[in-house]
Amino acid sequence: MAQEEYPDAAGASQPAESPAARSIKKSGVLWGELAIKSWLASCSFISIVTTAAIVILLLSETLNFFENVSPGEFFFGTTWTPLFEPSSFGVLPLVWGTLIVTIGAALIAIPTGLASAIYLSEYASDRMRSTIKPVLELLAGIPTVVYGYFALTFVTPVLRNVFPDIQVFNALSAAIVVGIMVLPMVATMSDNALRAVPISLRQGAYALGATSYEVTTRVVVPAGLSGVMASFLLAISRAIGETMAVTLAAGQTPNMSLSMFESIQTMTSYIVQVSLGDTPSGGVAYQTLFAVATLLFAITLVINIISQMILNRFREVYE
Amino acid sequence: MSQFPDSTLAEQNLQMSKKSVLELRNVNIFYSDNQAVNDVSFNIRRNKITAIIGPSGCGKSTLLRSLNRMNDFVDGARVEGELIFSNENLYGKEVDPVEVRRRIGMVFQKPNPFPKSIYNNISWGPLINGYNGSTDELVERSLKQAALWEEVKDRLHESALNLSGGQQQRLCIARALAMEPEVLLMDEPCSALDPISTARIEDLLFELKSSYTIVIVTHNMQQAARISDYTAFMEMGDLIEFNVTKKIFTRPAMKRTEEYVTGRFG
């Protein structure tokens, strides 16, 4: 049998014709290779250089800012009026505005997103899944300014019917649209995390007489938890950085009010306000832009690093 | 086609049926349009080890998975015929598949411990099913039954994923035993293990026989010959022969069986 299957076996073992005829030495410096390699490398350095330049610019302007304003006033002051007299540079109202919009958005996006992910990965038929996933991705592709417009022209009027004393610009509608905006991110990332849980674990659980609900909540979600958590953190980071929708929906009133019916201002919408306004460059008011941007950058960077650490742990679980 | 060419065996089977836990009557299994198992009938006896052997793709795993309705999770899988367990057809309309799996446990080809502690791997099944005795006792008893207790008793709360492959498989057996199933199905439980771990699991199956009914699918004919009391030989979805193991391996009735068990094909 074996001989019939490999009729060439004997022939192949004979040495090929004069193998030494072709040299294996380099035929010269490979300039073409070198040029391509350098070009590719320089492309990849563009993003590094840009990032470094932005960070250096932010930090140096922030340092200039702190020569004029004490860090104590910036970080702990509760009044933010940098653009008019008497000026005050307490950033907390902006942080607060960002915080309540982010928390509101997270309260919407996290439970709904996780529930959609569970439905998609554990319950939906392949057909249902292949319908829902593209719609979610479409939702993720809508420009954020459209969400802002949607908040102003649709969400707020609807809210008005329920809460008559809500302001035109309010934190609640901003939180709702940002929640809807980051929902697809939570849903698709969590879905991927849950689907990465091996089928064999589900089968093991079913074979012990577990119901679908028990398998999902007690085995699949805990096993995929790090990926799910990472999706939450990235969604939160995205909500913190969200700009256009929040600027349009929540207005520009730095405010530490507990009420979500009032206009607030987030860190990002302050940056929009100053960038679009007629603030002269070089002054303290102008420098606040960089101080706020640095703070925003630091917050999202920390959250992204944490979520990356969680994701890395996740990768090791089954390998 | 006669599946029981030996007429005395057919009579024996009839008498056996009282001692049977599971009775397969004209079982046909389909995946969408493909038929994977053709008209299979035999009985699985209490407190015995029944082996299902046959070449790859013969339908043996499919048949095994139909015994506790694990095929429910395969899109397009359909089971026809009767599988009688405690006087009910497993595929009857009123049967709760979850309850079926509580009473007919399964160990899979690849060890699949949950990413939880050793202790929680064992206690999980009974706890979700309303067990309210002492979980400490349950864990110890199950691990002892699976011959794993001595190796893990000092690290019950460590992750099960730190165990070796052989230990993980015994943990999966312990996990299934903790449910005190009436039947334990095993789908090539040693195929991913080294010879020493395999020998340990085979010893274990001998001990478990006194309290459990075991159905094992195996690719390894020596294993079937060593451990089982009854053997079913399948090929291309057909049950070629079912008999006491000794007969299958010494005086098989069918030529195909003889060719397979003597290693002439497969």
PDB file of all heavy atoms in Angstrom, chain A residues 252-279:
ATOM      1  N   GLN A 252     -24.172  74.944  28.109  1.00  0.00           N
ATOM      2  CA  GLN A 252     -22.849  75.413  28.487  1.00  0.00           C
ATOM      3  C   GLN A 252     -22.908  76.177  29.798  1.00  0.00           C
ATOM      4  O   GLN A 252     -22.453  77.306  29.896  1.00  0.00           O
ATOM      5  CB  GLN A 252     -22.278  76.283  27.377  1.00  0.00           C
ATOM      6  CG  GLN A 252     -22.394  75.596  26.031  1.00  0.00           C
ATOM      7  CD  GLN A 252     -21.494  76.171  24.987  1.00  0.00           C
ATOM      8  OE1 GLN A 252     -21.310  77.376  24.924  1.00  0.00           O
ATOM      9  NE2 GLN A 252     -20.925  75.317  24.159  1.00  0.00           N
ATOM     10  N   THR A 253     -23.507  75.585  30.793  1.00  0.00           N
ATOM     11  CA  THR A 253     -23.628  76.242  32.084  1.00  0.00           C
ATOM     12  C   THR A 253     -22.894  75.438  33.147  1.00  0.00           C
ATOM     13  O   THR A 253     -23.423  74.430  33.622  1.00  0.00           O
ATOM     14  CB  THR A 253     -25.115  76.348  32.502  1.00  0.00           C
ATOM     15  OG1 THR A 253     -25.886  76.711  31.372  1.00  0.00           O
ATOM     16  CG2 THR A 253     -25.293  77.327  33.634  1.00  0.00           C
ATOM     17  N   PRO A 254     -21.664  75.826  33.498  1.00  0.00           N
ATOM     18  CA  PRO A 254     -20.964  75.097  34.561  1.00  0.00           C
ATOM     19  C   PRO A 254     -21.807  75.128  35.825  1.00  0.00           C
ATOM     20  O   PRO A 254     -22.212  76.191  36.269  1.00  0.00           O
ATOM     21  CB  PRO A 254     -19.665  75.889  34.737  1.00  0.00           C
ATOM     22  CG  PRO A 254     -19.513  76.689  33.510  1.00  0.00           C
ATOM     23  CD  PRO A 254     -20.893  76.961  33.002  1.00  0.00           C
ATOM     24  N   ASN A 255     -22.054  73.979  36.382  1.00  0.00           N
ATOM     25  CA  ASN A 255     -23.119  73.878  37.365  1.00  0.00           C
ATOM     26  C   ASN A 255     -22.871  72.637  38.203  1.00  0.00           C
ATOM     27  O   ASN A 255     -22.557  71.575  37.660  1.00  0.00           O
ATOM     28  CB  ASN A 255     -24.437  73.742  36.568  1.00  0.00           C
ATOM     29  CG  ASN A 255     -25.653  73.788  37.459  1.00  0.00           C
ATOM     30  OD1 ASN A 255     -25.522  73.740  38.673  1.00  0.00           O
ATOM     31  ND2 ASN A 255     -26.815  73.888  36.844  1.00  0.00           N
ATOM     32  N   MET A 256     -22.997  72.751  39.510  1.00  0.00           N
ATOM     33  CA  MET A 256     -22.831  71.556  40.338  1.00  0.00           C
ATOM     34  C   MET A 256     -24.160  71.051  40.866  1.00  0.00           C
ATOM     35  O   MET A 256     -24.226  70.397  41.895  1.00  0.00           O
ATOM     36  CB  MET A 256     -21.845  71.814  41.473  1.00  0.00           C
ATOM     37  CG  MET A 256     -20.431  71.989  40.927  1.00  0.00           C
ATOM     38  SD  MET A 256     -19.146  71.857  42.166  1.00  0.00           S
ATOM     39  CE  MET A 256     -19.175  70.138  42.567  1.00  0.00           C
ATOM     40  N   SER A 257     -25.212  71.368  40.142  1.00  0.00           N
ATOM     41  CA  SER A 257     -26.542  70.967  40.600  1.00  0.00           C
ATOM     42  C   SER A 257     -26.710  69.445  40.549  1.00  0.00           C
ATOM     43  O   SER A 257     -26.168  68.772  39.677  1.00  0.00           O
ATOM     44  CB  SER A 257     -27.593  71.607  39.699  1.00  0.00           C
ATOM     45  OG  SER A 257     -28.826  70.975  39.912  1.00  0.00           O
ATOM     46  N   LEU A 258     -27.459  68.913  41.497  1.00  0.00           N
ATOM     47  CA  LEU A 258     -27.758  67.482  41.498  1.00  0.00           C
ATOM     48  C   LEU A 258     -28.832  67.135  40.474  1.00  0.00           C
ATOM     49  O   LEU A 258     -29.013  65.993  40.106  1.00  0.00           O
ATOM     50  CB  LEU A 258     -28.241  67.049  42.885  1.00  0.00           C
ATOM     51  CG  LEU A 258     -27.157  66.823  43.938  1.00  0.00           C
ATOM     52  CD1 LEU A 258     -27.791  66.606  45.296  1.00  0.00           C
ATOM     53  CD2 LEU A 258     -26.290  65.644  43.563  1.00  0.00           C
ATOM     54  N   SER A 259     -29.570  68.182  40.037  1.00  0.00           N
ATOM     55  CA  SER A 259     -30.687  67.921  39.127  1.00  0.00           C
ATOM     56  C   SER A 259     -30.200  67.681  37.714  1.00  0.00           C
ATOM     57  O   SER A 259     -29.372  68.430  37.200  1.00  0.00           O
ATOM     58  CB  SER A 259     -31.639  69.115  39.150  1.00  0.00           C
ATOM     59  OG  SER A 259     -32.537  69.002  38.074  1.00  0.00           O
ATOM     60  N   MET A 260     -30.715  66.629  37.099  1.00  0.00           N
ATOM     61  CA  MET A 260     -30.349  66.368  35.709  1.00  0.00           C
ATOM     62  C   MET A 260     -31.247  67.128  34.747  1.00  0.00           C
ATOM     63  O   MET A 260     -31.119  67.009  33.540  1.00  0.00           O
ATOM     64  CB  MET A 260     -30.405  64.864  35.412  1.00  0.00           C
ATOM     65  CG  MET A 260     -29.349  64.091  36.174  1.00  0.00           C
ATOM     66  SD  MET A 260     -29.143  62.419  35.560  1.00  0.00           S
ATOM     67  CE  MET A 260     -28.209  62.679  34.059  1.00  0.00           C
ATOM     68  N   PHE A 261     -32.188  67.932  35.300  1.00  0.00           N
ATOM     69  CA  PHE A 261     -33.093  68.702  34.442  1.00  0.00           C
ATOM     70  C   PHE A 261     -32.475  70.027  34.034  1.00  0.00           C
ATOM     71  O   PHE A 261     -33.022  70.759  33.229  1.00  0.00           O
ATOM     72  CB  PHE A 261     -34.419  68.974  35.168  1.00  0.00           C
ATOM     73  CG  PHE A 261     -35.223  67.719  35.426  1.00  0.00           C
ATOM     74  CD1 PHE A 261     -36.344  67.764  36.239  1.00  0.00           C
ATOM     75  CD2 PHE A 261     -34.866  66.514  34.854  1.00  0.00           C
ATOM     76  CE1 PHE A 261     -37.097  66.619  36.475  1.00  0.00           C
ATOM     77  CE2 PHE A 261     -35.614  65.373  35.088  1.00  0.00           C
ATOM     78  CZ  PHE A 261     -36.727  65.417  35.905  1.00  0.00           C
ATOM     79  N   GLU A 262     -31.327  70.361  34.645  1.00  0.00           N
ATOM     80  CA  GLU A 262     -30.727  71.663  34.375  1.00  0.00           C
ATOM     81  C   GLU A 262     -29.595  71.531  33.374  1.00  0.00           C
ATOM     82  O   GLU A 262     -29.054  70.454  33.154  1.00  0.00           O
ATOM     83  CB  GLU A 262     -30.194  72.264  35.687  1.00  0.00           C
ATOM     84  CG  GLU A 262     -31.302  72.648  36.649  1.00  0.00           C
ATOM     85  CD  GLU A 262     -30.757  73.103  37.989  1.00  0.00           C
ATOM     86  OE1 GLU A 262     -29.597  73.553  38.024  1.00  0.00           O
ATOM     87  OE2 GLU A 262     -31.478  72.982  38.985  1.00  0.00           O
ATOM     88  N   SER A 263     -29.252  72.689  32.812  1.00  0.00           N
ATOM     89  CA  SER A 263     -28.128  72.721  31.885  1.00  0.00           C
ATOM     90  C   SER A 263     -26.830  72.592  32.685  1.00  0.00           C
ATOM     91  O   SER A 263     -26.714  73.140  33.773  1.00  0.00           O
ATOM     92  CB  SER A 263     -28.142  74.036  31.115  1.00  0.00           C
ATOM     93  OG  SER A 263     -26.974  74.132  30.345  1.00  0.00           O
ATOM     94  N   ILE A 264     -25.888  71.850  32.139  1.00  0.00           N
ATOM     95  CA  ILE A 264     -24.580  71.710  32.762  1.00  0.00           C
ATOM     96  C   ILE A 264     -23.528  71.956  31.686  1.00  0.00           C
ATOM     97  O   ILE A 264     -23.866  72.200  30.534  1.00  0.00           O
ATOM     98  CB  ILE A 264     -24.387  70.304  33.374  1.00  0.00           C
ATOM     99  CG1 ILE A 264     -24.808  69.219  32.374  1.00  0.00           C
ATOM    100  CG2 ILE A 264     -25.185  70.129  34.657  1.00  0.00           C
ATOM    101  CD1 ILE A 264     -23.733  68.484  31.745  1.00  0.00           C
ATOM    102  N   GLN A 265     -22.275  71.893  32.092  1.00  0.00           N
ATOM    103  CA  GLN A 265     -21.229  71.921  31.082  1.00  0.00           C
ATOM    104  C   GLN A 265     -20.203  70.850  31.421  1.00  0.00           C
ATOM    105  O   GLN A 265     -19.812  70.691  32.580  1.00  0.00           O
ATOM    106  CB  GLN A 265     -20.546  73.295  31.044  1.00  0.00           C
ATOM    107  CG  GLN A 265     -19.583  73.401  29.875  1.00  0.00           C
ATOM    108  CD  GLN A 265     -19.089  74.821  29.669  1.00  0.00           C
ATOM    109  OE1 GLN A 265     -18.772  75.525  30.628  1.00  0.00           O
ATOM    110  NE2 GLN A 265     -19.027  75.259  28.417  1.00  0.00           N
ATOM    111  N   THR A 266     -19.806  70.084  30.403  1.00  0.00           N
ATOM    112  CA  THR A 266     -18.794  69.055  30.630  1.00  0.00           C
ATOM    113  C   THR A 266     -17.428  69.623  30.236  1.00  0.00           C
ATOM    114  O   THR A 266     -17.352  70.705  29.649  1.00  0.00           O
ATOM    115  CB  THR A 266     -19.082  67.816  29.777  1.00  0.00           C
ATOM    116  OG1 THR A 266     -19.017  68.188  28.411  1.00  0.00           O
ATOM    117  CG2 THR A 266     -20.447  67.228  30.084  1.00  0.00           C
ATOM    118  N   MET A 267     -16.397  68.884  30.561  1.00  0.00           N
ATOM    119  CA  MET A 267     -15.046  69.310  30.194  1.00  0.00           C
ATOM    120  C   MET A 267     -14.937  69.489  28.688  1.00  0.00           C
ATOM    121  O   MET A 267     -14.376  70.465  28.204  1.00  0.00           O
ATOM    122  CB  MET A 267     -14.026  68.280  30.688  1.00  0.00           C
ATOM    123  CG  MET A 267     -13.913  68.254  32.203  1.00  0.00           C
ATOM    124  SD  MET A 267     -12.581  67.175  32.774  1.00  0.00           S
ATOM    125  CE  MET A 267     -13.400  65.622  32.816  1.00  0.00           C
ATOM    126  N   THR A 268     -15.507  68.524  27.949  1.00  0.00           N
ATOM    127  CA  THR A 268     -15.390  68.596  26.493  1.00  0.00           C
ATOM    128  C   THR A 268     -16.155  69.796  25.940  1.00  0.00           C
ATOM    129  O   THR A 268     -15.659  70.494  25.065  1.00  0.00           O
ATOM    130  CB  THR A 268     -15.934  67.317  25.850  1.00  0.00           C
ATOM    131  OG1 THR A 268     -17.225  67.053  26.392  1.00  0.00           O
ATOM    132  CG2 THR A 268     -15.024  66.143  26.117  1.00  0.00           C
ATOM    133  N   SER A 269     -17.354  70.055  26.454  1.00  0.00           N
ATOM    134  CA  SER A 269     -18.108  71.164  25.863  1.00  0.00           C
ATOM    135  C   SER A 269     -17.483  72.510  26.240  1.00  0.00           C
ATOM    136  O   SER A 269     -17.618  73.481  25.492  1.00  0.00           O
ATOM    137  CB  SER A 269     -19.601  71.109  26.186  1.00  0.00           C
ATOM    138  OG  SER A 269     -19.850  70.697  27.473  1.00  0.00           O
ATOM    139  N   TYR A 270     -16.770  72.545  27.367  1.00  0.00           N
ATOM    140  CA  TYR A 270     -16.029  73.783  27.661  1.00  0.00           C
ATOM    141  C   TYR A 270     -14.954  74.005  26.606  1.00  0.00           C
ATOM    142  O   TYR A 270     -14.760  75.116  26.122  1.00  0.00           O
ATOM    143  CB  TYR A 270     -15.400  73.722  29.059  1.00  0.00           C
ATOM    144  CG  TYR A 270     -14.513  74.904  29.315  1.00  0.00           C
ATOM    145  CD1 TYR A 270     -15.075  76.168  29.557  1.00  0.00           C
ATOM    146  CD2 TYR A 270     -13.135  74.800  29.251  1.00  0.00           C
ATOM    147  CE1 TYR A 270     -14.276  77.279  29.731  1.00  0.00           C
ATOM    148  CE2 TYR A 270     -12.320  75.901  29.422  1.00  0.00           C
ATOM    149  CZ  TYR A 270     -12.899  77.148  29.665  1.00  0.00           C
ATOM    150  OH  TYR A 270     -12.097  78.248  29.829  1.00  0.00           O
ATOM    151  N   ILE A 271     -14.266  72.928  26.237  1.00  0.00           N
ATOM    152  CA  ILE A 271     -13.204  73.060  25.231  1.00  0.00           C
ATOM    153  C   ILE A 271     -13.785  73.552  23.904  1.00  0.00           C
ATOM    154  O   ILE A 271     -13.215  74.425  23.244  1.00  0.00           O
ATOM    155  CB  ILE A 271     -12.463  71.709  25.064  1.00  0.00           C
ATOM    156  CG1 ILE A 271     -11.701  71.388  26.345  1.00  0.00           C
ATOM    157  CG2 ILE A 271     -11.508  71.759  23.876  1.00  0.00           C
ATOM    158  CD1 ILE A 271     -11.097  70.002  26.391  1.00  0.00           C
ATOM    159  N   VAL A 272     -14.971  73.054  23.548  1.00  0.00           N
ATOM    160  CA  VAL A 272     -15.635  73.527  22.337  1.00  0.00           C
ATOM    161  C   VAL A 272     -15.924  75.019  22.446  1.00  0.00           C
ATOM    162  O   VAL A 272     -15.631  75.804  21.541  1.00  0.00           O
ATOM    163  CB  VAL A 272     -16.949  72.761  22.102  1.00  0.00           C
ATOM    164  CG1 VAL A 272     -17.759  73.397  20.977  1.00  0.00           C
ATOM    165  CG2 VAL A 272     -16.654  71.308  21.781  1.00  0.00           C
ATOM    166  N   GLN A 273     -16.468  75.397  23.598  1.00  0.00           N
ATOM    167  CA  GLN A 273     -16.870  76.790  23.795  1.00  0.00           C
ATOM    168  C   GLN A 273     -15.671  77.734  23.597  1.00  0.00           C
ATOM    169  O   GLN A 273     -15.762  78.723  22.877  1.00  0.00           O
ATOM    170  CB  GLN A 273     -17.435  76.953  25.203  1.00  0.00           C
ATOM    171  CG  GLN A 273     -17.980  78.345  25.478  1.00  0.00           C
ATOM    172  CD  GLN A 273     -18.328  78.534  26.948  1.00  0.00           C
ATOM    173  OE1 GLN A 273     -18.110  77.647  27.772  1.00  0.00           O
ATOM    174  NE2 GLN A 273     -18.866  79.692  27.278  1.00  0.00           N
ATOM    175  N   VAL A 274     -14.541  77.407  24.228  1.00  0.00           N
ATOM    176  CA  VAL A 274     -13.379  78.290  24.140  1.00  0.00           C
ATOM    177  C   VAL A 274     -12.780  78.244  22.740  1.00  0.00           C
ATOM    178  O   VAL A 274     -12.379  79.265  22.183  1.00  0.00           O
ATOM    179  CB  VAL A 274     -12.323  77.904  25.203  1.00  0.00           C
ATOM    180  CG1 VAL A 274     -11.091  78.780  25.053  1.00  0.00           C
ATOM    181  CG2 VAL A 274     -12.918  78.045  26.581  1.00  0.00           C
ATOM    182  N   SER A 275     -12.747  77.058  22.163  1.00  0.00           N
ATOM    183  CA  SER A 275     -12.135  76.941  20.838  1.00  0.00           C
ATOM    184  C   SER A 275     -12.912  77.720  19.794  1.00  0.00           C
ATOM    185  O   SER A 275     -12.334  78.287  18.870  1.00  0.00           O
ATOM    186  CB  SER A 275     -12.078  75.473  20.411  1.00  0.00           C
ATOM    187  OG  SER A 275     -11.414  74.719  21.378  1.00  0.00           O
ATOM    188  N   LEU A 276     -14.224  77.768  19.928  1.00  0.00           N
ATOM    189  CA  LEU A 276     -15.047  78.465  18.939  1.00  0.00           C
ATOM    190  C   LEU A 276     -15.181  79.943  19.254  1.00  0.00           C
ATOM    191  O   LEU A 276     -15.514  80.738  18.380  1.00  0.00           O
ATOM    192  CB  LEU A 276     -16.443  77.838  18.877  1.00  0.00           C
ATOM    193  CG  LEU A 276     -16.507  76.401  18.383  1.00  0.00           C
ATOM    194  CD1 LEU A 276     -17.945  75.916  18.392  1.00  0.00           C
ATOM    195  CD2 LEU A 276     -15.925  76.314  16.977  1.00  0.00           C
ATOM    196  N   GLY A 277     -14.952  80.311  20.523  1.00  0.00           N
ATOM    197  CA  GLY A 277     -15.199  81.684  20.946  1.00  0.00           C
ATOM    198  C   GLY A 277     -14.070  82.617  20.557  1.00  0.00           C
ATOM    199  O   GLY A 277     -13.160  82.266  19.814  1.00  0.00           O
ATOM    200  N   ASP A 278     -14.122  83.856  21.090  1.00  0.00           N
ATOM    201  CA  ASP A 278     -13.128  84.847  20.693  1.00  0.00           C
ATOM    202  C   ASP A 278     -12.118  85.086  21.814  1.00  0.00           C
ATOM    203  O   ASP A 278     -11.616  86.187  21.991  1.00  0.00           O
ATOM    204  CB  ASP A 278     -13.817  86.162  20.311  1.00  0.00           C
ATOM    205  CG  ASP A 278     -14.860  86.544  21.349  1.00  0.00           C
ATOM    206  OD1 ASP A 278     -14.910  85.863  22.401  1.00  0.00           O
ATOM    207  OD2 ASP A 278     -15.619  87.501  21.120  1.00  0.00           O
ATOM    208  N   THR A 279     -11.826  84.035  22.575  1.00  0.00           N
ATOM    209  CA  THR A 279     -10.850  84.166  23.645  1.00  0.00           C
ATOM    210  C   THR A 279      -9.473  84.415  23.026  1.00  0.00           C
ATOM    211  O   THR A 279      -9.024  83.627  22.197  1.00  0.00           O
ATOM    212  CB  THR A 279     -10.791  82.872  24.472  1.00  0.00           C
ATOM    213  OG1 THR A 279     -12.119  82.492  24.784  1.00  0.00           O
ATOM    214  CG2 THR A 279      -9.977  83.072  25.720  1.00  0.00           C
TER     215      THR A 279
END
